Amino acid sequence: MNLKKKEKEQAAPEKNLEPAAVAGKPAKKNIFKSRKFKYGGIATVITILFIVVVIVINMIMGVLDSKVVMEVDLTPNQVYGLTQESIDFVQGLDKDVEINILNSKDSFESGGQYYVQAAAIIENYSKYSSRVTVNYVDLVKNPTFAANYEDENIASNDVLIKCGEKHKLVKSSELFNSEMSYSTFSYVVTSSKAEQSVTSAMVNVTSDEITKVAILTGYDEADYSSLTSMLTSNNFDVQEVNITTDEIPEDAKLAVIFAPGRDYDQSSLKKLDTFLSNNEKLGKSLVFVPNTQPDQIPELNSFLEEWGMSVGSGVMFELSTDHLYNNTTPFWSAAEYVDEDYSSVITNKSIPVSVMQSRPIEILKESESIKVLLESTENSGIYPVDAAEGWQPEESDLTGPITLAAVSTKQVSGVDDVSNVAVVGSAAAFASSLLSSTSVNNSAYFINMFNTLAEREDTVLIEAKTLGGATMSVTTNVSIPLGVVFTIVLPLLILVTGLVIWIRRRNR
């Protein structure tokens, strides 16, 4: 019986596993087992995994970008990145610093390319130190923020830096250098000093002591606003003192006489002596800048003679054409660096300090205590005060090099500190157009001069940055082959490659 059952099972037709044909139509294939589905499914899974990986990487990079510098600044002078001086400063912070940009990010950057650069610079501070946080504060949406600083004239696009109970407001105008455009009769931004201003403000709020500078007035001084702005932007506490009525404050480290319109009297000169003596403890410095007009200043010169220097009559002229800014005038020229201590921080000494209508400085005695800081070339001389109209220099009038800036140091036995008197012959060297220019080193040099005289250690010297890039010129011999390659050869290569791939796939 079992044998018969087995024979029946063998004789029975095998069951068709495929769906039966209906009405003569071929059986439908199982699409889930088809080759197309198999490879298409794998491709779909790979695509989904790729998208997920991209999203995850993008999220990770987004988080890292707010904490770590991810961008590579390819601009020639790293205009969007921090200088090493600022990096070293923020990495050495031992206090928490909060930087508040007083606008939304979009509104702040809508101000133009220099605002975009300023935003990039400021955001980088927090990427180099966990001690620094950067916030965008929209004053419209958060009106109570300004109310907390009623002593400040806060406005949109200003930057407020805070450390503990101390704060420093950087006005938006202090982020950039600008000059009047006489074609549009409006101020145009020429360079960025965002890093300089913000780093200086951070030094201000984190430092326990601020160096005070007294600008001495009372003798019809010329405009010194650009000098004040330079000093303030570099963390000096500047105050005006009328020396005809007031004493120079004891807590002032430096005093400045800037281009007085008339000579000092004996009472004011005595106040200068008292300040520099500092009760025989020394430790003070005076910077004297004579007026560009060759006025006689016998009393001030008598004071300077005690320090081994005097201001000569006339103005310096320069005949070396490679040192002239304008070949039509010999009174606007580039000065030569002399003393290394006062120029060591200048990173590019091929960029000069510009002087205009400089008074000559006479060194009255050879002494190690007197240093020449800046001078003209040998092909220079002094234009006489009483020169006749049409006067032309002769060979004997070329008395260069002429001293344009010098410093004299006084030291007393048994006293650790020293006092200094520095003389800079050109008041025009402190003009805003020159201090804001990246084509000359006036700002960097004179900031370092004040820092050196004040014996400041917590200093960060940062020069302004210009966003203008260099233009790449392409000759006709180069442009024609490049045009053929990119407009004919490359498109044909892409077309042929596409046809070959299409034909091969079609014939599979």
Side-chain angles (χ1 to χ4, degrees):
M1 185 174 178
N2 292 334
L3 183 60
K4 291 181 179 180
K5 186 176 181 182
K6 187 174 182 181
E7 289 175 351
K8 287 181 179 180
E9 290 176 352
Q10 291 176 350
E14 294 182 359
K15 293 182 179 179
N16 189 358
L17 298 177
E18 298 293 331
V22 180
K25 293 181 180 180
K28 293 182 178 179
K29 293 183 178 181
N30 189 339
I31 61 173
F32 297 104
K33 295 184 178 181
S34 67
R35 192 175 191 183
K36 184 177 181 181
F37 178 82
K38 180 180 179 181
Y39 288 108
I42 293 174
T44 302
V45 171
I46 292 174
T47 302
I48 294 173
L49 287 175
F50 178 77
I51 293 173
V52 171
V53 170
V54 170
I55 293 174
V56 172
I57 291 176
N58 192 45
M59 293 173 63
I60 294 173
M61 296 298 285
V63 173
L64 288 176
D65 184 58
S66 63
K67 301 294 182 182
V68 183
V69 178
M70 305 294 292
E71 302 87 358
V72 178
D73 191 349
L74 299 179
T75 54
N77 56 345
Q78 304 291 295
V79 296
Y80 293 95
L82 295 179
T83 59
Q84 193 59 47
E85 289 83 355
S86 288
I87 294 172
D88 292 341
F89 170 73
V90 296
Q91 290 180 341
L93 285 173
D94 57 0
K95 300 176 182 178
D96 293 333
V97 178
E98 185 179 302
I99 304 176
N100 298 288
I101 302 174
L102 305 184
N103 212 333
S104 66
K105 181 178 175 64
D106 290 341
S107 296
F108 186 81
E109 293 183 341
S110 67
Q113 61 174 347
Y114 276 99
Y115 279 93
V116 173
Q117 184 264 354
I121 286 291
I122 295 172
E123 290 173 5
N124 275 334
Y125 286 99
S126 61
K127 298 176 183 179
Y128 284 103
S129 174
S130 59
R131 288 283 191 179
V132 181
T133 57
V134 178
N135 307 309
Y136 284 90
V137 180
D138 191 331
L139 295 178
V140 176
K141 296 180 179 179
N142 190 3
T144 58
F145 184 90
N148 295 327
Y149 302 94
E150 294 181 351
D151 57 326
E152 301 284 3
N153 185 21
I154 288 179
S156 294
N157 291 340
D158 291 347
V159 180
L160 189 136
I161 293 91
K162 182 180 179 183
C163 177
E165 298 299 319
K166 296 178 67 176
H167 71 270
K168 176 77 173 178
L169 181 68
V170 178
K171 302 295 292 182
S172 59
S173 59
E174 296 177 298
L175 298 174
F176 318 108
N177 289 313
S178 59
E179 62 182 29
M180 172 64 75
S181 170
Y182 292 100
S183 60
T184 61
F185 292 99
S186 61
Y187 282 94
V188 177
V189 176
T190 57
S191 60
S192 170
K193 57 177 181 177
E195 182 183 358
Q196 172 187 331
S197 297
V198 173
T199 300
S200 177
M202 293 175 68
V203 173
N204 184 292
V205 297
T206 56
S207 298
D208 296 326
E209 295 183 5
I210 303 298
T211 303
K212 293 186 178 181
V213 179
I215 304 290
L216 305 183
T217 65
Y219 287 91
D220 303 327
E221 289 74 17
D223 179 26
Y224 49 81
S225 58
S226 55
L227 171 62
T228 300
S229 177
M230 181 191 77
L231 293 173
T232 303
S233 296
N234 286 275
N235 202 32
F236 284 96
D237 181 9
V238 181
Q239 62 183 94
E240 295 181 356
V241 176
N242 189 328
I243 195 170
T244 63
T245 58
D246 302 320
E247 298 287 340
I248 303 174
E250 292 184 2
D251 58 351
K253 183 71 173 179
L254 288 160
V256 179
I257 302 174
F258 189 83
R262 50 195 177 91
D263 202 6
Y264 268 38
D265 61 22
Q266 288 298 318
S267 174
S268 296
L269 292 175
K270 186 176 180 180
K271 292 178 182 179
L272 293 180
D273 287 329
T274 300
F275 170 72
L276 291 168
S277 172
N278 192 26
N279 294 320
E280 299 183 353
K281 293 182 294 184
L282 305 180
K284 304 292 185 179
S285 292
L286 171 71
V287 177
F288 174 57
V289 183
N291 199 304
T292 54
Q293 300 299 321
D295 300 324
Q296 298 299 317
I297 47 172
E299 298 299 335
L300 277 168
N301 261 339
S302 295
F303 166 79
L304 292 175
E305 286 171 3
E306 297 177 8
W307 292 79
M309 303 178 293
S310 68
V311 176
S313 61
V315 293
M316 184 276 296
F317 67 83
E318 178 68 69
L319 295 184
S320 297
T321 55
D322 59 340
H323 279 60
L324 296 178
Y325 287 97
N326 188 336
N327 287 328
T328 61
T329 174
F331 304 113
W332 183 16
S333 62
E336 294 275 336
Y337 301 108
V338 180
D339 186 77
E340 183 65 24
D341 292 339
Y342 285 81
S343 61
S344 59
V345 299
I346 303 299
T347 55
N348 186 357
K349 291 185 180 177
S350 65
I351 301 176
V353 172
S354 174
V355 296
M356 186 185 298
Q357 293 181 305
S358 179
R359 302 283 296 277
I361 300 168
E362 299 174 359
I363 306 300
L364 304 180
K365 62 181 180 180
E366 293 293 331
S367 173
E368 293 182 356
S369 63
I370 302 176
K371 294 180 178 180
V372 175
L373 307 183
L374 299 171
E375 66 182 14
S376 62
T377 71
E378 293 182 355
N379 198 25
S380 63
I382 300 173
Y383 184 84
V385 177
D386 56 355
E389 186 176 352
W391 180 87
Q392 293 294 324
E394 298 179 358
E395 190 69 27
S396 60
D397 295 314
L398 301 180
T399 56
I402 307 298
T403 300
L404 306 177
V407 61
S408 177
T409 301
K410 183 174 288 187
Q411 191 168 13
V412 177
S413 178
V415 179
D416 294 333
D417 287 331
V418 298
S419 284
N420 306 283
V421 171
V423 184
V424 179
S426 173
F430 294 91
S432 59
S433 58
L434 294 179
L435 292 179
S436 64
S437 175
T438 56
S439 301
V440 295
N441 265 331
N442 289 40
S443 179
Y445 185 84
F446 290 124
I447 289 169
N448 183 60
M449 184 187 77
F450 277 92
N451 286 339
T452 303
L453 292 172
E455 300 178 307
R456 296 176 69 191
E457 296 180 355
D458 59 339
T459 59
V460 180
L461 180 60
I462 301 162
E463 299 178 25
K465 298 178 179 180
T466 304
L467 298 191
T471 301
M472 183 179 69
S473 300
V474 181
T475 63
T476 304
N477 292 336
V478 176
S479 64
I480 292 176
L482 285 176
V484 171
V485 169
F486 285 104
T487 61
I488 299 176
V489 177
L490 188 59
L492 282 176
L493 184 61
I494 295 172
L495 179 61
V496 171
T497 303
L499 284 172
V500 171
I501 294 173
W502 178 76
I503 292 171
R504 288 186 62 185
R505 287 183 175 179
R506 185 174 180 82
N507 293 332
R508 281 182 180 177

